[in-house]
Structures are given as structure tokens and as C-alpha cells.
Amino acid sequence: MSHKIVTRFAPSPTGHLHIGGVRTALFSYLYARQNKGTFILRIEDTDKERSKKEYEDSILASFEWLGLNYDELHRQSENTEKYKVYLHKLVDEGKAYISKEEKKEEGDRDSVIRFKNPNKDVTFNDHVLGQITVDTTDLGDFIIAKDFDNPIFHFANVVDDHEMNVTHIIRGQEHASNTPRQILLWEALSLEIPEYAHIPLILAEDKTKMSKRAGALNVFEYKEMGYLPEAILNFMSLIGWNPGGEQEIFSMTELVEKFSIDRIQKSPGVFNMIKLDWINKEYLKKMPYENQEEYMIKFIPENFTKKSQYTSEKLHSIVPIVMERISKGCEITEMAEAGELTYLFENPNINKDILLSQIKKQLKDTDNVGLETKTKEILNKIIELLTNLDENSWENEMIKTTLWDYATDAGRGIVLWPMRYALSGLEKSPDPFILSQIFGKNETISRIKKAIETLN
């Protein structure tokens, strides 16, 4: 076997790249990079009926978006002549034969090429599962090609892996049952057998098979939801692999350094959406402000640009308060559609009872007339204090300093609640100092005055 490590990931272009496939590709990529080896992407497109160019393009685009840079790109459909050579070799040596088949259904073939099974025990050492021995007798004389132009999966894989000098085959445990067949073929062709590592299945959080609801989506569905490629790779690396220690956020450089086949677990890994969201949020926090703004704009509905108080400057200023509330971009869209961002771009609707509610609670007063008078007094005092604050000093901390002594003396809940509600029209919103900075002096005072009008 070559001393240079060569790994491969071999998807079929019969669908988009599935999130589970990302982990297999990632582990193969990490092992190759760690050993300064070669990582190959091989498109297994021998299924002519189901393989589609659009899916191949989607797979390639997924790799580009994820940043998994392959060293070589191959397509099985380009290797037909090589398969013929090896098929003829097996048939000529009596290790395979053309088998006449009984046609059970219309469209069935009347002949195929079968491998002459030596009916022996096959033993191989798997880097994850340990030593495995299988009696291959039950496999019978299995089919390796429909004809000399159409090899099937097991045979094409063996030829490709040999021709591409693959040294380590890292793939899902569901493929472990294919390995004995392929080892028989390796031996029959007198080729050196690569090393195998069958990585664990990925299960939903309830330990059942993954479904769409439990995360079984393709790469671009995750992209559309606003997950970052770095977050997806970081998250997928931790399913079934234990790096040791408490660290959970890894750069690609760190993953390459720390990855070890020996630390891949045998038992199934669990796809935890809450953890994925947490990791994605950590990466969003690390984004430069400009990148956060660009990210946020992708998920703000287009109709927001038509709202009465929309400006690009205001959009720029709300980045922190929006980003701190989300773990993925689609939540921005959800917030917008639920009306939770509308107040930022147009005057809110003020409900008098809600405006009075906190003061009512704190003063334990049931006299609405008295509460209205008290609330007007508070809001007018806020306007008076803010009016005296120079516009050049109009920023969050200065606004807070201007109001803080009054709020402390009168009661912070009594002062800051009606101010915040007057600005947002929401019972839960960012603090009033941040909102005031975003809206600017004139708009802040105007909104507070409109709230007072609801009490008249």
C-alpha cells in the first residue's frame, strides 16, 4: 500500500448532499489533511436512470459552500473501459462467469456476470468496529455486473479505489455488510486491500431513525435556514467522535489537528438540534459587524424597506438587538412575520391597559384615573430630561445616565416600563436606552408623546 494517505467520499448524484453524508465526507477530509494526504471526491454515477446532472451540480456546490476542498474529482461514468479490463480478467481466470438468468419479470436481464464465491471466512480489522470475521458462504455467487459495460456498486468501488490509490475507506456502518464482498474481489484481483473505518449511524434525539422533522435534510436546506458552514462542520464533527476535554467550538485547523479515527465511537451518535443552534449562535457572535448586517439583511422580508420609518441607517443600528435574539437566520424572518420587528420601522400601536399595567402592579393601585395621571407625569418628565440632552451626546449610555437618577428615585420599573412600552408597543423588547439610541432624539420623544395621547 502507498505510504501516502488517500481517502475518498463517493456520493451518488441521485439526490442532494444529505447532512449525514457531510459527516462522512468531513471525517475523510480531516484524516487526509491531518496526514498531508489526498482527499478525493468521486461521483458514483453508474446508475444511469437515477443519476442526474442537477444533483451532481448540487453536490459540488455543497462542497464549495462547506469549504471542503477536494484534491481530485472523478466520475465513475468516465471509468467504463477500466471496469471492462478487470471484469475480463476475472472471467478469463475463472473467478467470475456469465450467468444465464431466468427472467421472472418483463424487463429482467437474461444474463449477468457473477463472482465465483470461494465460500470462505473473511476477516478484516476495522478502525472503529475492531476485528470482524464473516462467513461469506451465504452470499452465494453474487452479481458484480449486468454486462461488461455495466458493473454494479461493489465491483466499481473496488476498481475505483485501487485505481485512485485509496488507502483508507471511511464510510457509514450501514456499508459494513458490503465489505466482505469487496474484500473477496480485492483478493481475487490480487490487489492490496485498503483499511476500513465504519463510522456510527446518526439517530434522532429520541434514538429513532432520523426523519425530516429530526434534522434529516440536505445541505442547502440548512443553508436556507441560516446555518453557517463552519457551524455545520463543527457540529457534525462531534457526532460519534469524542475529541476529549470540554472544548466544543473548533476551527477547521483545530479539527485537523485533533481528529483521530481511534476516538470515533462504535455506538450511534445523536443529532441534537438544540446543540446545532447553540454552535451556530457562537459562530454568529464571532462575525464582524458588517458581516452580521449582511447576514441579517438576507432574512429581513423585502416589504420592510417600504415601512414609513425604514432607513438603511436604522437597519444598520438594529443589528445587535436582532442578532442577540437569534441562533439562525430563519428566526429573523419568523420574528418579522410575527410582528416583533415592525415597531422598529413604524410607530407602534399602544394599548392603554398594557401601558398602565406595570405601574398598577408596582403601586398596587386600582384607580385608573390616578394611574393615568401618574403615567403621564412620568412620561412627561422623561421627555423633559431627554429634551435637555444634546443630540451629539445621544447614545445609549448618555441616555441612561440622563434618566437613571430619576428612575432610581421614582422606581425603575415605574419609569422604565412605560418608556420602553411607549417606544416598542411590546411587553418584551430591548431596554429603552438602546431603543432610544436607534430611534434618535426626535423619534424617541415623538413616540413617547403619542403614548401620552392614548391616556387623554
Side-chain angles (χ1 to χ4, degrees):
M1 187 177 292
S2 165
H3 290 294
K4 182 178 181 181
I5 300 294
V6 180
T7 66
R8 50 77 162 174
F9 177 66
S12 298
T14 54
H16 301 285
L17 179 61
H18 187 271
I19 193 67
V22 171
R23 185 188 60 163
T24 307
L26 175 62
F27 284 6
S28 299
Y29 173 89
L30 292 175
Y31 192 68
R33 291 289 172 264
Q34 186 180 71
N35 291 281
K36 297 180 171 52
T38 298
F39 172 60
I40 294 171
L41 176 60
R42 186 169 76 218
I43 304 297
E44 299 204 332
D45 57 352
T46 50
D47 187 337
K48 295 172 185 175
E49 292 178 4
R50 295 175 62 226
S51 295
K52 289 187 170 54
K53 179 69 164 58
E54 66 189 86
Y55 291 133
E56 179 184 324
D57 291 343
S58 173
I59 290 167
L60 297 179
S62 296
F63 269 77
E64 182 178 358
W65 181 69
L66 289 166
L68 290 178
N69 303 315
Y70 42 86
D71 302 298
E72 298 176 15
L73 173 64
H74 297 272
R75 295 175 182 84
Q76 279 191 337
S77 56
E78 298 167 354
N79 298 333
T80 305
E81 294 305 312
K82 291 178 182 175
Y83 303 140
K84 279 186 188 178
V85 171
Y86 287 96
L87 282 168
H88 278 292
K89 175 180 169 62
L90 288 181
V91 172
D92 291 346
E93 292 177 358
K95 296 175 181 176
Y97 58 92
I98 298 170
S99 169
K100 295 298 180 183
E101 302 289 308
E102 181 184 341
K103 296 176 71 170
K104 295 178 180 176
E105 293 181 17
E106 188 177 345
D108 284 355
R109 305 183 70 87
D110 57 10
S111 69
V112 294
I113 300 174
R114 288 184 178 272
F115 176 72
K116 194 171 184 179
N117 190 344
N119 299 325
K120 55 180 262 185
D121 284 355
V122 165
T123 298
F124 65 98
N125 189 56
D126 189 285
H127 279 276
V128 177
L129 302 175
Q131 185 169 293
I132 296 173
T133 298
V134 177
D135 180 358
T136 63
T137 304
D138 290 342
L139 299 178
D141 288 356
F142 53 88
I143 299 170
I144 57 174
K146 297 174 183 176
D147 52 46
F148 285 104
D149 291 316
N150 292 285
I152 68 162
F153 167 78
H154 301 295
F155 186 79
N157 258 244
V158 168
V159 173
D160 286 338
D161 287 333
H162 171 68
E163 289 288 326
M164 296 169 195
N165 299 310
V166 172
T167 61
H168 291 73
I169 296 172
I170 300 172
R171 59 187 181 183
Q173 281 184 14
E174 66 272 20
H175 291 288
S177 60
N178 298 326
T179 306
R181 285 185 180 85
Q182 291 167 341
I183 288 177
L184 289 176
L185 292 169
W186 285 102
E187 291 176 341
L189 291 165
S190 301
L191 303 176
E192 191 167 0
I193 301 169
E195 296 182 39
Y196 287 91
H198 289 95
I199 60 180
L201 298 172
I202 302 177
L203 299 179
E205 287 182 70
D206 60 2
K207 305 296 175 67
T208 60
K209 186 178 177 181
M210 281 185 72
S211 63
K212 270 193 168 284
R213 183 177 294 179
L217 307 171
N218 69 57
V219 169
F220 283 105
E221 288 175 293
Y222 279 95
K223 181 182 179 183
E224 286 167 10
M225 286 191 286
Y227 289 99
L228 301 176
E230 306 92 325
I232 287 176
L233 293 176
N234 191 152
F235 171 70
M236 295 306 298
S237 73
L238 299 174
I239 301 180
W241 171 64
N242 181 2
E246 299 298 317
Q247 183 179 350
E248 292 192 288
I249 302 298
F250 295 91
S251 68
M252 182 55 78
T253 301
E254 289 173 318
L255 286 175
V256 169
E257 287 173 358
K258 294 179 180 291
F259 181 73
S260 167
I261 286 183
D262 298 332
R263 295 191 71 92
I264 296 176
Q265 301 159 352
K266 292 182 183 180
S267 56
V270 173
F271 196 98
N272 185 330
M273 288 295 293
I274 293 173
K275 186 168 185 177
L276 173 57
D277 284 351
W278 176 79
I279 289 175
N280 201 60
K281 189 175 183 70
E282 292 300 303
Y283 278 91
L284 288 174
K285 285 181 191 173
K286 292 180 179 181
M287 267 188 176
Y289 194 97
E290 298 74 24
N291 292 17
Q292 286 187 339
E293 181 175 5
E294 187 181 333
Y295 176 89
M296 186 185 80
I297 288 170
K298 291 177 186 174
F299 296 95
I300 293 275
E302 195 175 327
N303 65 350
F304 269 63
T305 62
K306 298 178 177 64
K307 293 192 180 295
S308 59
Q309 295 172 7
Y310 175 87
T311 64
S312 56
E313 291 78 14
K314 182 180 282 187
L315 190 72
H316 178 77
S317 69
I318 69 170
V319 172
I321 68 171
V322 173
M323 294 299 288
E324 73 178 3
R325 293 182 61 189
I326 61 134
S327 58
K328 53 186 179 288
C330 62
E331 292 171 354
I332 298 173
T333 309
E334 290 165 6
M335 286 163 58
E337 290 173 348
E340 294 174 31
L341 301 180
T342 303
Y343 76 93
L344 295 164
F345 302 103
E346 59 185 38
N347 287 327
N349 294 317
I350 301 299
N351 179 299
K352 183 170 75 172
D353 290 335
I354 297 175
L355 180 61
L356 299 175
S357 62
Q358 284 297 316
I359 298 179
K360 188 173 188 177
K361 189 185 296 182
Q362 302 228 10
L363 297 180
K364 297 178 180 163
D365 195 339
T366 56
D367 177 11
N368 269 9
V369 175
L371 288 173
E372 288 173 18
T373 303
K374 179 68 175 174
T375 304
K376 280 192 234 178
E377 177 191 313
I378 290 166
L379 292 176
N380 278 313
K381 182 64 176 178
I382 292 170
I383 290 172
E384 178 191 328
L385 291 168
L386 294 180
T387 300
N388 293 329
L389 179 60
D390 192 287
E391 281 196 49
N392 294 326
S393 301
W394 193 267
E395 58 86 30
N396 162 9
E397 286 303 318
M398 282 301 298
I399 297 165
K400 182 175 181 179
T401 300
T402 300
L403 298 176
W404 200 248
D405 286 347
Y406 171 59
T408 301
D409 290 343
R412 289 175 197 163
I414 288 173
V415 173
L416 300 181
W417 162 262
M419 179 185 176
R420 184 171 68 176
Y421 182 71
L423 294 176
S424 69
L426 298 175
E427 295 184 65
K428 291 182 180 178
S429 66
D431 78 53
F433 314 120
I434 290 174
L435 291 179
S436 297
Q437 177 178 308
I438 288 169
F439 295 139
K441 183 174 180 177
N442 291 339
E443 190 180 323
T444 296
I445 291 173
S446 171
R447 289 191 178 207
I448 296 172
K449 284 180 176 178
K450 284 185 170 65
I452 292 171
E453 288 172 11
T454 65
L455 300 173
N456 292 330

